[in-house]
Amino acid sequence: MAPGGRLSIRILIAEDQAMVLGALAALLSTEHDLEVTGQARDGAEALSLLETAQPDVVLSDIEMPNMTGLELAAEIRRQKRAAKVIILTTFARPGYLRRALEAGVSGYLLKDSPAATLAAAIRRVYAGGRSIDPDLAAEAWTEQDLLTERERQVLRLAGEGSSSADIALKLSLSEGTVRNYLSEAISKLGAANRVDAARIARQRGWL
């Protein structure tokens, strides 16, 4: 029986790789006190499933189309949902963990963690605790994120190949403003151009 007297802890999984999504669902379903009530291919779909899945814990990847795991966590917090968020990712990057903590996540695990570790983390988070790798947590605060949120948005789109005009349209900005944001980001990162800046920022976990 799950903590709190219910029969099981309800879990919503957000993962854009179908094989990984299915494997996670099958793996967690073998635990007597865990129940997968929803599966989503991106953050936006996960957000739309919150009402029907009624999860206690949302298990989410970071990099997904339409809405990232970090954006999903931030939106769940903004909506004051009861669901706790655990990030499950391949990225052992302090920048990602720092942004995840700022978004209000309760757990941050790597995909190569043992199955028992994942199940234990879900139970711990459900009970009100946290499950974050201590070494990675310590590193998360040693390197400052130089980018503003708007610079991050603009640089992410530039890294995906969008032109300044496309970025301006998507973010409701002028092209001149977009160029200014890109110039600032390139300067802060010591990059050669917008593509190089996006690469550096992604390596540091800032995008």
Side-chain angles (χ1 to χ4, degrees):
M1 182 174 290
R6 266 199 289 105
L7 293 177
S8 59
I9 300 170
R10 298 185 298 260
I11 303 164
L12 170 61
I13 305 173
E15 166 62 59
D16 63 327
Q17 296 184 36
M19 187 174 295
V20 176
L21 178 61
L24 282 172
L27 176 67
L28 294 176
S29 295
T30 64
E31 299 288 332
H32 72 281
D33 59 342
L34 305 182
E35 178 188 4
V36 177
T37 57
Q39 299 180 45
R41 294 294 297 273
D42 57 50
E45 184 180 3
L47 198 62
S48 71
L49 290 176
L50 288 177
E51 289 296 335
T52 54
Q54 291 290 305
D56 300 303
V57 175
V58 176
L59 186 64
S60 177
D61 191 7
I62 287 184
E63 293 194 353
M64 299 181 291
N66 299 318
M67 177 182 284
T68 69
L70 299 183
E71 292 169 337
L72 172 62
E75 185 61 20
I76 287 174
R77 184 174 65 173
R78 189 191 70 79
Q79 293 185 11
K80 298 181 179 179
R81 299 276 186 171
K84 307 291 181 62
V85 179
I86 295 176
I87 294 294
L88 184 64
T89 179
T90 58
F91 300 114
R93 298 174 184 171
Y96 270 138
L97 174 56
R98 181 169 180 165
R99 288 172 56 208
L101 293 173
E102 291 171 348
V105 306
S106 299
Y108 192 102
L109 301 174
L110 299 180
K111 286 183 177 177
D112 60 0
S113 300
T117 299
L118 176 57
I122 291 171
R123 296 182 185 107
R124 187 177 304 116
V125 165
Y126 174 77
R130 280 193 170 189
S131 186
I132 297 168
D133 181 273
D135 293 332
L136 194 57
E139 291 178 31
W141 304 101
T142 60
E143 184 178 48
Q144 181 182 3
D145 185 344
L146 302 178
L147 301 176
T148 66
E149 185 57 34
R150 186 60 92 178
E151 287 167 354
R152 193 184 340 276
Q153 292 173 334
V154 169
L155 197 57
R156 183 184 296 121
L157 290 170
E160 293 172 355
S162 297
S163 67
S164 294
D166 290 336
I167 296 171
L169 184 62
K170 290 177 182 177
L171 299 181
S172 299
L173 300 171
S174 69
E175 287 189 52
T177 299
V178 168
R179 286 193 293 269
N180 287 339
Y181 281 128
L182 287 172
S183 178
E184 282 293 317
I186 291 168
S187 176
K188 287 179 179 180
L189 295 169
N193 50 49
R194 63 174 65 186
V195 175
D196 189 38
R199 178 188 60 79
I200 293 171
R202 191 171 297 281
Q203 284 179 343
R204 295 180 181 178
W206 294 350
L207 289 189

